[in-house]
Amino acid sequence: MSNILELNDVTIRFGGITAVKELTMNVPKDKIIGLIGPNGAGKTTVFNLISGFYKPTEGEIFFKQEKISEKSTHEICGRGVARTFQNIRLFTNQTALENVMVGGHVRRKYAWWTIPLCLPSAMKEEREIRRNAYELLERLSLAEYADELATSLPYGAQRRLEIARALATQPKLLLLDEPAAGMNPQESLELLDFIKEIRSEFDLSILLIEHDMKVVMGVCEHIWVLEYGSLIANGNPHEIQKNPAVIAAYLGDE
Ligand code: ATP
């Protein structure tokens, strides 16, 4: 089984704080993998490292066997890594459709400064991006909101819209940062099915940060556990639930 993502001995320090320490972990292709740990354990920092927002102080990150830890966020996204954020970050003055189109523009061949030279092709491409974005809204049951301002959507729909925008970049690896945050138990259960559906429909590998243990245990095939920036355990959901270090560090706080 090949790994789509590998972190080798990754450390990041902010002044005196070591947010992630000598972390070695991987995400196998086509799997849904969990990344859990108490508040401040370093989970979002790991996402920021993978997606290029932060550069490791030490260590290396590989995506599809290519070293990405020195690349820009744009280059990493272009290679097939997309993410959502813990606090929803939609473009507030744009419609739902326009938000998803932004994701599609990552794949655009014609940059804006070339448009005067290749107007018909660029316009055709823009129409395709719009059509693809609308199809994504349909597939994620968001089409009814296409022309609504993104921030006027119900909360659960905004969460799905963020995922739609990430999917528009045509990722191979999707990083989901606490997608169940703010959801009620029923919405969380629906999210479980939704994550499984998009994994198979879009042929994705998924790395999931989540505090909702029902979601984590219900959807993840393997789980990595962080505490104070260091890996304290990894295993399948059954093993993780029984692991004394995990119970003490995290599940014990539930
Ligand atoms: P939560 O579950 O609460 O979201 P987390 O596991 O995602 O927590 P991080 O947000 O990754 O934790 O934070 C880990 C540590 O790194 C924290 O102590 C945080 O303050 C620190 N940290 C993260 N980014 C920075 C930064 N840019 N500058 C300074 N410290 C940072």
Side-chain angles (χ1 to χ4, degrees):
M1 185 187 358
S2 64
N3 294 325
I4 193 161
L5 181 79
E6 290 179 352
L7 278 73
N8 288 343
D9 225 359
V10 170
T11 294
I12 184 164
R13 291 186 205 95
F14 301 103
I17 298 171
T18 304
V20 173
K21 193 176 171 200
E22 296 164 10
L23 177 64
T24 295
M25 61 173 273
N26 60 60
V27 175
K29 201 169 168 308
D30 301 329
K31 299 282 177 198
I32 303 177
I33 305 298
L35 180 60
I36 67 170
N39 290 332
K43 306 177 295 294
T44 298
T45 304
V46 171
F47 273 20
N48 284 328
L49 285 161
I50 298 168
S51 51
F53 285 79
Y54 296 157
K55 305 290 167 220
T57 314
E58 287 154 27
E60 295 171 326
I61 302 172
F62 293 86
F63 175 66
K64 295 207 269 184
Q65 274 72 54
E66 182 192 11
K67 187 167 159 184
I68 56 164
S69 31
E70 281 150 18
K71 299 205 180 297
S72 67
T73 50
H74 190 77
E75 287 171 318
I76 293 170
C77 182
R79 277 164 175 73
V81 180
R83 71 175 291 183
T84 64
F85 293 88
Q86 191 174 350
N87 303 311
I88 299 176
R89 288 196 205 174
L90 292 166
F91 298 109
T92 51
N93 56 350
Q94 295 189 345
T95 65
L97 182 68
E98 288 163 346
N99 265 272
V100 181
M101 286 177 69
V102 171
H105 284 142
V106 170
R107 295 274 163 196
R108 186 169 58 180
K109 274 205 295 268
Y110 300 99
W112 62 266
W113 58 87
T114 68
I115 286 177
L117 299 171
C118 41
L119 192 58
S121 308
M123 283 174 67
K124 183 165 171 259
E125 184 175 53
E126 189 66 13
R127 281 197 300 274
E128 273 168 24
I129 288 172
R130 178 175 286 271
R131 195 175 51 241
N132 291 341
Y134 191 79
E135 272 175 27
L136 267 174
L137 289 180
E138 280 183 323
R139 283 152 85 181
L140 273 59
S141 309
L142 292 166
E144 63 181 297
Y145 303 115
D147 299 324
E148 310 270 325
L149 264 191
T151 44
S152 70
L153 271 56
Y155 183 79
Q158 289 192 32
R159 282 259 169 228
R160 291 207 306 285
L161 182 59
E162 248 210 331
I163 296 176
R165 184 179 59 187
L167 291 174
T169 67
Q170 299 173 22
K172 285 287 155 207
L173 173 67
L174 181 60
L175 311 173
L176 296 177
D177 197 345
E178 293 194 39
M183 289 189 172
N184 64 38
Q186 179 57 31
E187 287 172 330
S188 298
L189 278 181
E190 287 166 13
L191 181 75
L192 269 180
D193 292 334
F194 176 69
I195 293 173
K196 289 179 190 161
E197 271 167 38
I198 58 168
R199 184 264 295 265
S200 47
E201 188 174 346
F202 294 91
D203 191 20
L204 294 168
S205 311
I206 295 177
L207 183 58
L208 171 76
I209 296 178
E210 189 47 70
H211 281 291
D212 184 330
M213 284 302 125
K214 280 207 183 72
V215 173
V216 174
M217 299 302 166
V219 81
C220 295
E221 289 144 294
H222 191 94
I223 298 167
W224 299 88
V225 190
L226 289 180
E227 188 185 26
Y228 299 120
S230 296
L231 188 68
I232 58 163
N234 80 95
N236 65 37
H238 184 66
E239 292 162 345
I240 292 302
Q241 284 179 86
K242 287 193 312 186
N243 185 304
V246 178
I247 293 167
Y250 189 79
L251 298 176
D253 297 342
E254 290 288 294

